[in-house]
C-alpha cells in the first residue's frame, strides 16, 4: 500500500534547443509510477530546477513520432520534448 | 541523409529527380537572411533531433511523390551558417509543371511545419536567441555537438 | 539578353536575384522531354522573333517585380537542343517564399503565353513537326540562321 | 479615279516557323492601298502561293507588340505573323 510498492516505468527524456538550456541538460532517465502519460512526464520535468520555463503542454515526440499529451508511456520509450520548430 | 553538415548544392538535388520523362523541375532555396524582427543577424546555428528529422523528411518525400506524379529531393543544413548560405533546398521534377510546383511547395511547407529542427540567431549586437520560443540563449557552445 | 544560344545555368540566374534580404528563392527549369503525343523525341529546335521575344521577357520581369516584392531572372534557350537539356529557366527571390513562388510561376506561365518562340520536334521515326500548329516541317536547315 | 491614283503604304512582313515554310520566305515588303488594317495584309498574304495555309486571323505583332486584326497599318510598320507560340 506504500508508493514504493507501485510498479514504475523508466523512459529516456531528450531535450532540445531552449528547453535543453532551461534544464541544463539534453538527456535524462525518468522513473514514473505506472500507468503514466506524456503529461505526467512533463509535469515531473517542470518540477526540476529551471523546468518551470517549460510550457505545460509542449510539443512531444514518442519514439520519433509526434504524439498528444494524453499518450501513455511504456518502459524504454524515448520521449523528446520539442521547442517550437524553426526549420527551413 | 536529408540533414547535411556541409554546404547544400541545388544541382545535386535536381540531378536526383530529373529524368527524360520529367520536363518540369521546380525548386526552392531557403537562405539565411541578414535580419529578423528588425535586428541585424550575422549568422545562425541549426540543430535537430536527428533521427526524427530524417524520418519526417523521408515521410514528406513519400507523401509528395504519392500525391503528385513527381520525384522529390530535399536537404536541410545543420550547424553554423553565415548570412546568405543555403539552409534548406527542395527540388521536385514532374512531367507537368503544375505538379512540380505543387510538390515543391508542399515539401517546403511540411519541412517548416513538422521537421524537428531549431535555430539560434546571432545578432550583430551580441545577443543570441532561439527562434520561435524567443528565449535568449545562454550556452554559446556549439549545441550540435560537432 | 533573355535569349541564349548556349546551355543555361540556373546558378547564374539565382546569383542575379539572391540577396541577404531575400530569404526565399523559387526556381523553375523546363527540360526537353523525350516524348510528345506518344512519339519519341530525339531533339528539338527553338527559334524566336528575337527583338519581340527580348521585349516580352523584359516586360514579364518588370510585371512580376512590380506585383511582388521580389527579383526575377529568366532565360530561354534558342537553337538545337538534345533531350534533357534546359530549354527555359526562371529564378525569383523574395523576403517571403509565397511571393517567390508566385513570381516564379507567373513568369513561366507568361513566357509560354506571350513570348514569340517556336519549336520543331525531331522524332525518332524521322518526322519533324512544328509544335502548336501541328504542321510537318519541310525545311531541314537550321531556321535560327545560326 | 483609277486604283493607281490611290495612295499606298508599304509594310515589312516577317514570317516565322511553319508560316515561313508555307510561304517559302521569312520576310517581304507588302504595298497596300490606304487605309489598310492588319486583316488586309493577312488577306493579301493568303492570296500568295502557299498562303492559303495561313489562318484567316493569325496572331500578329505590329512593331514588337501583339495587336488585333483591326489595327491600322502605317508605312514603315513591321508586321510579324506569328504561328501558335511554343516557348517554354
Amino acid at each position: 500500500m506504500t508508493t514504493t510498492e507501485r510498479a514504475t516505468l523508466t523512459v529516456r527524456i531528450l531535450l532540445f534547443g531552449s528547453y535543453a538550456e532551461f534544464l541544463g541538460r539534453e538527456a535524462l532517465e525518468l522513473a514514473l509510477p505506472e500507468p503514466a502519460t506524456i503529461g505526467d512526464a512533463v509535469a515531473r520535468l517542470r518540477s526540476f530546477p529551471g523546468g518551470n520555463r517549460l510550457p505545460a503542454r509542449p510539443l512531444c515526440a514518442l519514439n520519433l513520432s509526434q504524439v498528444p499529451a494524453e499518450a501513455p508511456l511504456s518502459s524504454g520509450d524515448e520521449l523528446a520534448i520539442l521547442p517550437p520548430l524553426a526549420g527551413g | 541523409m536529408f540533414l547535411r553538415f556541409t554546404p547544400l548544392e541545388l544541382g545535386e538535388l535536381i540531378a536526383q529527380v530529373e529524368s527524360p520523362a520529367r520536363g518540369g523541375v521546380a525548386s526552392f532555396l531557403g537562405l539565411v537572411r541578414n535580419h529578423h524582427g528588425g535586428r541585424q543577424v550575422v549568422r545562425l546555428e541549426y540543430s535537430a533531433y536527428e533521427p526524427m528529422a530524417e524520418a519526417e523528411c523521408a515521410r514528406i518525400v513519400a507523401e509528395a511523390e504519392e500525391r503528385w506524379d513527381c520525384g522529390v529531393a530535399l536537404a536541410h543544413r545543420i550547424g553554423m551558417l553565415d548570412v546568405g548560405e543555403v539552409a534548406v533546398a527542395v527540388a521536385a521534377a514532374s512531367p507537368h509543371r503544375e505538379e512540380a510546383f505543387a510538390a515543391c511547395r508542399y515539401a517546403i511547407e511540411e519541412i517548416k511545419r513538422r521537421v524537428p529542427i531549431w535555430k539560434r540567431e546571432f545578432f550583430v549586437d551580441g545577443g543570441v536567441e532561439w527562434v520561435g520560443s524567443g528565449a535568449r540563449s545562454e550556452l554559446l557552445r556549439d549545441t550540435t555537438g560537432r
Side-chain angles (χ1 to χ4, degrees), chain A, chain B:
Chain A
M1 303 294 281
T2 65
T3 56
T4 55
E5 288 173 39
R6 287 179 62 183
T8 60
L9 56 83
T10 303
V11 294
R12 181 168 177 75
I13 305 290
L14 299 180
L15 298 163
F16 296 92
S18 53
Y19 295 175
E21 290 192 9
F22 295 163
L23 279 95
R25 53 186 132 177
E26 296 180 340
L28 62 146
E29 302 286 325
L30 205 62
L32 295 164
E34 287 194 298
T37 65
I38 286 175
D40 297 328
V42 170
R44 177 75 67 83
L45 289 169
R46 295 183 79 216
S47 73
F48 288 10
N52 60 325
R53 296 180 70 190
L54 290 181
R57 295 179 66 90
L59 196 62
C60 291
L62 191 62
N63 305 322
L64 308 185
S65 289
Q66 281 190 38
V67 286
E70 297 71 27
L73 293 171
S74 302
S75 240
D77 279 349
E78 180 175 277
L79 175 61
I81 317 296
L82 312 177
L85 307 185
Chain B
M1 294 294 287
F2 298 102
L3 303 184
R4 308 289 183 88
F5 303 88
T6 52
L8 302 184
E9 292 290 342
L10 180 57
E12 180 211 322
L13 298 187
I14 290 174
Q16 284 178 37
V17 294
E18 70 182 354
S19 82
R22 293 172 175 162
V25 183
S27 53
F28 181 79
L29 296 177
L31 312 179
V32 177
R33 282 189 294 177
N34 62 357
H35 64 280
H36 185 224
R39 291 168 78 187
Q40 197 178 335
V41 174
V42 289
R43 62 183 190 281
L44 56 76
E45 186 195 51
Y46 284 99
S47 55
Y49 178 19
E50 296 185 16
M52 182 177 168
E54 290 285 349
E56 284 288 359
C57 287
R59 285 192 278 259
I60 290 167
V61 168
E63 289 162 11
E65 292 182 343
E66 184 177 333
R67 186 159 162 190
W68 295 283
D69 177 11
C70 70
V72 173
L74 61 87
H76 200 296
R77 183 90 177 272
I78 301 297
M80 201 70 84
L81 278 73
D82 290 321
V83 166
E85 283 199 88
V86 179
V88 60
V90 178
S94 170
H96 312 101
R97 70 182 179 285
E98 301 77 10
E99 302 201 36
F101 275 110
C104 184
R105 187 70 193 270
Y106 177 81
I108 185 63
E109 299 300 332
E110 292 302 300
I111 288 168
K112 288 178 167 278
R113 199 176 69 80
R114 290 160 50 179
V115 180
I117 293 176
W118 300 279
K119 67 179 168 194
R120 294 195 295 175
E121 286 179 328
F122 293 73
F123 296 100
V124 71
D125 58 24
V128 185
E129 277 184 16
W130 290 101
V131 175
S133 70
R136 281 187 57 183
S137 180
E138 310 293 343
L139 294 170
L140 294 185
R141 70 184 172 78
D142 183 343
T143 61
T144 65
R146 280 160 206 272

